[in-house]
């Protein structure tokens, strides 16, 4: 096996696994940049995966090829609405944001499995029949060497995920909205003094994270698992959280980290076919994202610092 | 002060009630009969000696994971890594349980201590990172959960079995399983671990409330700067708090490994015991005695839920929804307090 063949096995798989993580990690960036810690990403992905699959199974006959796209839209909407719970608890009711996030995770899994059993009479949905098609990016896929590696035979949502990371960067760093978002997350009192509505900004940010978390979950379910059960989302949300931290709360950094974690995942799956990696126990690849995140937080890979006000509710008039 | 005490008791009770009401609404909205649902739940938890035995068996690890979370909360830390500490404790207990042939009086304590040590070790790293580098323990402990899951699975496959998915059963000399309890509860899986769990609750109370070290630990959690000024070693106390919390979680794993299952299997996902411990601690008011009661509540909910599908047609996940909502209500206690103060003003 030549190096190129190896790359051709690994890289498309890495992008394939990274897409859901990118969406969700970007959601985390928005939420945490506004000062709301979101441990609930896992639950938001669960809800998105559930909605994506149920919508697909219910409407596939009528909507045909449009089904998976509209399922993503549905997952985005439901994810945003579901995340309102986290926003209400942690912004308005000043709940501990970590506790509220844990509750989101519990509730998402409980509710979606409850509904699956109610609707289908069993703990697992059927496999979806209509998914996304693989495609080549026009022009770019004709570039020699990197064309076939990066731009061929991949799913459209993967490209959307990567594009969205740059869009998020633009929104957070180059628009008035983004400036306000970061101000609210760093020093809410100063932002409040300047006339920014802290609560409103945080609500919007949490709902964006709900929308993107839902999208990530739906993309995962539609492309990778193709059905929904209790084990569909098992840790991807936390891995997205890790990607966000490893990417130092920066959209493009989060995307890079998610791609890297996707690579680790793809290696743990296709690694057995690669001569050099055959003898590396998969456990090292499985724990790599988490170990790296700990190292990043400990400052061994540059300093990763959270937005200053992350985790603290803003109480007007309190110094 | 007195009304404060009362409020502390009132909020968890109200949260549980609101959770149950919300659960009823969910059942009504999805076309189930809430009365039948809750009757099945109560019957499934206490309706028969077998069910009572199972409820106590489920309560046992909940007490310990609740104590682990609560111990950290009381010392100003949020240990979301109880799940991982439990898994490594489970592994350590079983490992000792299968590898030695010793008299029971040595073997069993050794296995439990190994579990505590493993859990403590898993809590050590987040503690050190928090104490020396001010890294938030929540994220580190979440990452440690996943590392625990994958590493224990790898060890079970390669060391404790021959590329299989579960270990041998632990030797009888390290087992907590009880023929006596089995006989009086129609062969439930209830085991002697409940005594260890209750003893642990006492230890936590004594340690925190009656010793100087406990006072220091609480003081550091409350105000690091004041503690530093008073001459306490803040770093050592933070690390110690995480280590003790992890030890409680590790012992919870021993309950599963030496008692309920008697072995360890590879896991596709988490046991949930550690995450449920957060709910147990919150409802128990982070107080040792309160945790005994709230662990019993959650044990009953989880075991009782198993009866719901067959007698009332309600999926067991309803209980997970109720637990999640209870957590929300406790977390949002600001809202409850605000409503209460409004009510008091209205009454005056």
């Amino acid at each position: 096996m030549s190096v190129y063949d190896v790359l051709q096995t690994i890289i498309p798989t890495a992008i394939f696994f990274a897409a859901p993580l990118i969406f969700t990690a970007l959601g985390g960036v928005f939420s945490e940049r506004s000062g709301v810690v979101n441990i609930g990403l896992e639950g938001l992905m669960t809800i998105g995966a559930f909605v994506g699959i149920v919508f697909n199974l219910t409407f596939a006959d009528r909507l045909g090829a449009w089904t998976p796209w509209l399922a993503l839209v549905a997952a985005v909407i439901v994810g945003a609405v579901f995340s309102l719970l986290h926003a209400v608890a942690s912004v308005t009711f000043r709940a501990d944001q970590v506790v509220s996030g844990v509750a989101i995770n519990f509730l998402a899994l409980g509710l979606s499995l409850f509904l699956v059993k109610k609707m289908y009479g069993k703990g697992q949905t059927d496999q979806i029949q209509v998914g996304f098609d693989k495609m080549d990016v026009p022009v770019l896929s004709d570039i020699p060497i990197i064309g076939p590696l990066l731009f061929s035979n991949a799913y459209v949502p993967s490209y959307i995920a990567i594009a969205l990371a740059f869009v998020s960067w633009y929104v957070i760093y180059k628009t008035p909205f983004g400036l306000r978002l970061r101000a609210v997350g760093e020093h809410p009192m100063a932002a409040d003094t300047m006339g920014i509505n802290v609560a409103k900004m945080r609500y919007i940010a949490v709902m964006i994270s709900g929308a993107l978390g839902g999208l990530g979950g739906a993309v995962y379910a539609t492309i990778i698992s193709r059905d929904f059960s209790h084990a569909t989302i098992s840790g991807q949300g936390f891995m997205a959280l890790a990607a966000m931290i490893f990417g130092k709360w920066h959209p493009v950094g989060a995307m890079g980290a998610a791609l890297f974690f996707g690579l680790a995942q793809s290696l743990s799956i296709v690694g057995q076919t690669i001569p050099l990696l055959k003898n590396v126990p998969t456990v090292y690849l499985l724990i790599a994202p988490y170990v790296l995140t700990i190292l990043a937080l400990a400052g061994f890979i540059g300093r990763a610092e959270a937005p200053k006000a992350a985790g603290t509710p803003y109480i007007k008039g309190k110094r | 002060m007195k009304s404060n005490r009362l409020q502390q008791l009132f909020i968890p009770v109200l949260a549980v009630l609101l959770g149950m009401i919300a659960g009823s609404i969910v059942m009504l909205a999805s076309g189930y009969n809430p009365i039948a649902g809750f009757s099945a739940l109560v019957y499934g938890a206490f309706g028969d000696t077998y069910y009572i035995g199972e409820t106590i068996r489920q309560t046992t690890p909940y007490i310990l994971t609740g104590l682990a979370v609560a111990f950290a909360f009381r010392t100003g830390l949020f240990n979301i890594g109880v799940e991982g500490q439990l898994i490594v404790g489970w592994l350590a207990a079983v490992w000792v349980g299968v590898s030695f042939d010793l008299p029971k009086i040595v073997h069993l304590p050794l296995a439990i201590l190994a579990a505590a040590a493993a859990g403590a070790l898993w809590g050590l790293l987040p503690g050190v990172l928090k104490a020396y580098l001010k890294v938030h323990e929540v994220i580190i402990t979440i990452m440690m959960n996943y590392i625990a899951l994958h590493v224990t699975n790898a060890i079970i496959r390669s060391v404790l079995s021959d590329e299989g998915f579960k270990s041998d059963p632990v030797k009888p000399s390290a087992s907590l399983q009880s023929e006596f309890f089995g006989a009086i509860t129609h062969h439930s899986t209830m085991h002697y671990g409940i005594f260890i769990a209750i003893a642990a609750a006492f230890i936590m109370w004594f340690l925190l409330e009656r010793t100087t070290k406990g006072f220091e630990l609480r003081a550091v959690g409350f105000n690091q700067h004041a503690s530093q000024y008073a001459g306490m070693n803040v770093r050592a106390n933070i690390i110690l708090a995480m280590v003790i919390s992890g030890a409680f979680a590790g012992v919870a794993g021993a309950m599963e490994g030496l008692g309920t299952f008697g072995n360890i299997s590879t896991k596709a996902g988490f046991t949930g015991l550690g995450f449920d411990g957060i709910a147990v601690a919150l409802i128990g008011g982070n107080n040792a005695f309160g945790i005994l009661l709230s662990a019993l509540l959650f044990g009953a909910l989880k075991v009782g839920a198993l009866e719901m599908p067959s007698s009332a047609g309600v999926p067991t996940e309803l209980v997970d929804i109720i637990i999640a909502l209870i957590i929300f209500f406790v977390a949002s206690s600001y809202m409850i307090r605000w409503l209460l103060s409004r009510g008091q003003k209205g009454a005056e």
Side-chain angles (χ1 to χ4, degrees):
Chain A
M1 230 179 185
S2 73
V3 176
Y4 188 74
D5 287 337
V6 170
L7 287 179
Q8 211 165 11
T9 324
I10 297 170
I11 289 179
T13 333
I15 296 173
F16 170 78
F17 277 112
L21 297 180
I22 296 174
F23 284 123
T24 312
L26 290 176
V29 170
F30 275 98
S31 174
E32 302 229 343
R33 278 284 172 189
S34 81
V36 181
V37 169
N38 201 343
I39 304 280
L41 289 176
E42 174 91 357
L44 297 168
M45 280 187 90
T46 308
I47 284 291
F50 166 75
V51 172
I53 293 295
V54 170
F55 185 95
N56 194 313
L57 288 171
T58 314
F59 295 106
D61 298 341
R62 268 165 282 172
L63 300 171
W66 282 97
T67 318
W69 293 105
L70 291 169
L72 293 190
V73 173
V76 164
I77 294 168
V78 176
V81 171
F82 192 74
S83 68
L84 262 179
L85 272 174
H86 185 51
V88 171
S90 53
V91 179
T92 307
F93 294 153
R94 303 175 193 173
D96 185 315
Q97 296 167 4
V98 175
V99 175
S100 166
V102 170
I104 286 276
N105 291 340
F106 271 124
L107 187 64
L109 191 61
L111 194 64
S112 51
L113 279 180
F114 180 83
L115 291 173
V116 163
K117 284 192 182 166
K118 165 88 189 148
M119 289 192 287
Y120 301 99
K122 54 184 180 180
Q124 190 169 11
T125 66
D126 295 326
Q127 292 262 322
I128 54 167
Q129 301 304 324
V130 190
F132 292 106
D133 291 326
K134 287 190 173 181
M135 61 164 265
D136 298 342
V137 180
V139 187
L140 290 176
S141 61
D142 298 332
I143 304 173
I145 305 176
I146 61 164
L149 275 186
L150 299 176
F151 301 108
S152 300
N153 209 18
Y155 292 101
V156 186
S158 306
Y159 300 121
I160 297 177
I162 292 166
L164 196 64
F166 292 100
V167 172
S168 302
W169 166 79
Y170 183 80
V171 168
I172 292 175
Y173 287 95
K174 301 288 166 193
T175 64
F177 170 82
L179 182 63
R180 287 180 195 140
L181 184 85
R182 285 180 291 134
V184 163
E186 291 290 330
H187 201 315
M189 194 161 64
D192 194 18
T193 317
M194 297 307 290
I196 299 170
N197 187 337
V198 176
K200 187 175 135 196
M201 286 306 295
R202 289 190 168 176
Y203 264 86
I204 294 173
V206 173
M207 287 179 76
I208 293 176
S209 82
L212 291 177
L215 181 59
V219 166
Y220 183 89
T222 312
I223 294 182
I224 300 174
S225 72
R226 298 185 73 93
D227 64 1
F228 182 82
S229 73
H230 72 281
T232 301
I233 301 298
S234 54
Q236 293 89 340
F238 287 114
M239 202 184 273
L241 189 76
M244 176 197 76
I245 296 165
F246 196 53
K248 296 175 184 166
W249 286 269
H250 188 289
V252 178
M255 177 198 72
L259 280 171
F260 184 68
F261 292 172
L263 182 73
Q265 270 191 311
S266 90
L267 285 179
S268 72
I269 290 164
V270 300
Q272 299 307 316
T273 57
I274 299 165
L276 194 65
L277 285 166
K278 214 186 305 186
N279 297 321
V280 178
T282 49
V283 61
Y284 294 117
L285 297 165
L286 287 170
I287 65 173
Y290 310 112
V291 173
L292 286 168
T293 303
I294 291 177
L295 290 178
L297 276 169
F300 295 120
I301 313 174
R303 190 98 185 104
E305 234 170 311
K308 275 205 188 59
T312 40
Y314 174 61
I315 302 166
K316 248 187 208 293
K318 193 186 170 199
R319 296 211 240 184
Chain B
M1 192 64 207
K2 200 174 178 188
S3 72
N4 224 339
R5 269 270 164 90
L6 211 65
Q7 223 178 45
Q8 261 181 13
L9 200 73
F10 184 69
I11 286 171
V13 173
L14 190 68
V16 171
L17 278 178
L18 286 174
M20 300 284 180
I21 293 170
S24 312
I25 294 172
V26 172
M27 279 196 266
L28 275 177
S30 43
Y32 300 115
N33 179 350
I35 297 172
F38 278 119
S39 313
L41 182 74
V42 173
Y43 181 79
F46 300 110
D48 183 341
T49 51
Y50 172 80
Y51 292 127
I52 294 174
E54 287 295 308
T55 299
I56 294 174
R57 189 265 304 157
Q58 183 73 32
T59 303
T60 306
Y62 274 161
I63 294 174
L64 287 157
T65 55
L67 291 173
V69 177
F71 195 92
F73 268 141
R74 291 290 293 274
T75 50
L77 299 165
F78 195 157
N79 183 3
I80 205 165
V82 170
E83 186 72 42
Q85 292 146 13
L86 179 146
I87 295 175
V88 295
W90 186 340
L91 179 84
V94 171
W95 204 336
V96 171
V98 296
S99 337
F100 298 104
D101 270 311
L102 293 166
K104 186 152 196 161
I105 194 132
V106 184
H107 201 181
L108 181 59
L110 189 68
I112 293 170
L113 283 177
L121 186 71
W122 224 249
L124 178 68
L125 181 71
V128 170
L129 290 178
K130 168 93 177 180
Y132 283 91
L133 298 168
K134 297 209 178 341
V135 183
H136 204 292
E137 71 280 8
V138 165
I139 306 294
I140 301 287
T141 49
I142 289 174
M143 301 302 136
M144 295 291 284
N145 283 342
Y146 284 96
I147 297 174
L149 183 71
H150 294 302
V151 169
T152 49
N153 279 347
I155 292 177
I156 294 164
R157 277 196 209 98
S158 57
V159 184
L160 289 180
S161 73
D162 197 12
E163 292 297 311
F165 62 94
K166 65 176 186 188
S167 73
D168 292 333
V170 297
K171 304 266 167 63
S173 57
S175 174
L176 280 168
Q177 282 164 356
S178 155
E179 278 177 27
F180 170 70
F181 282 145
I184 60 169
T185 59
H186 279 93
H187 312 292
S188 78
T189 47
M190 184 181 170
H191 54 81
Y192 290 123
I194 184 69
F195 298 122
I196 294 169
I198 292 171
F202 177 77
I203 291 171
M204 155 148 158
W205 168 80
F206 188 81
L207 187 62
L208 278 182
E209 311 287 347
R210 288 289 178 273
T211 65
T212 321
K213 198 71 215 171
F215 178 80
E216 271 193 28
L217 289 167
R218 282 185 292 141
V220 168
F222 202 67
N223 188 332
Q224 288 191 10
H225 304 292
S227 313
Q228 176 98 47
Y229 190 66
M232 298 171 191
N233 185 341
V234 170
R235 284 176 174 169
N237 276 303
I238 289 175
I239 296 171
L240 185 67
M242 273 311 286
V243 164
I244 296 175
S245 172
F248 278 120
V251 176
M255 299 299 108
E256 299 299 276
L258 306 175
T260 309
F261 293 94
N263 66 5
I264 185 166
S265 318
T266 56
K267 292 170 188 59
F270 289 124
T271 63
L273 290 167
F275 294 122
D276 289 347
I278 298 167
V280 172
L282 287 172
I283 296 293
N286 296 323
N287 158 302
F289 182 68
I291 284 168
L292 292 180
L293 292 179
S294 69
L296 182 64
L297 172 76
F298 284 102
L301 281 174
K302 278 283 179 183
V303 171
L306 301 176
E307 181 67 20
M308 290 168 75
S310 55
S311 17
V314 183
T316 54
E317 281 74 20
L318 182 81
V319 162
D320 297 325
I321 298 176
I322 292 178
I323 292 178
L325 291 171
I326 291 176
I327 301 176
F328 260 121
F329 290 127
V330 179
S332 307
S333 60
Y334 167 76
M335 163 194 72
I336 297 178
R337 280 201 202 99
W338 182 75
L339 287 174
L340 279 179
S341 68
R342 283 285 295 255
Q344 270 165 4
K345 267 183 206 150
E348 270 163 16

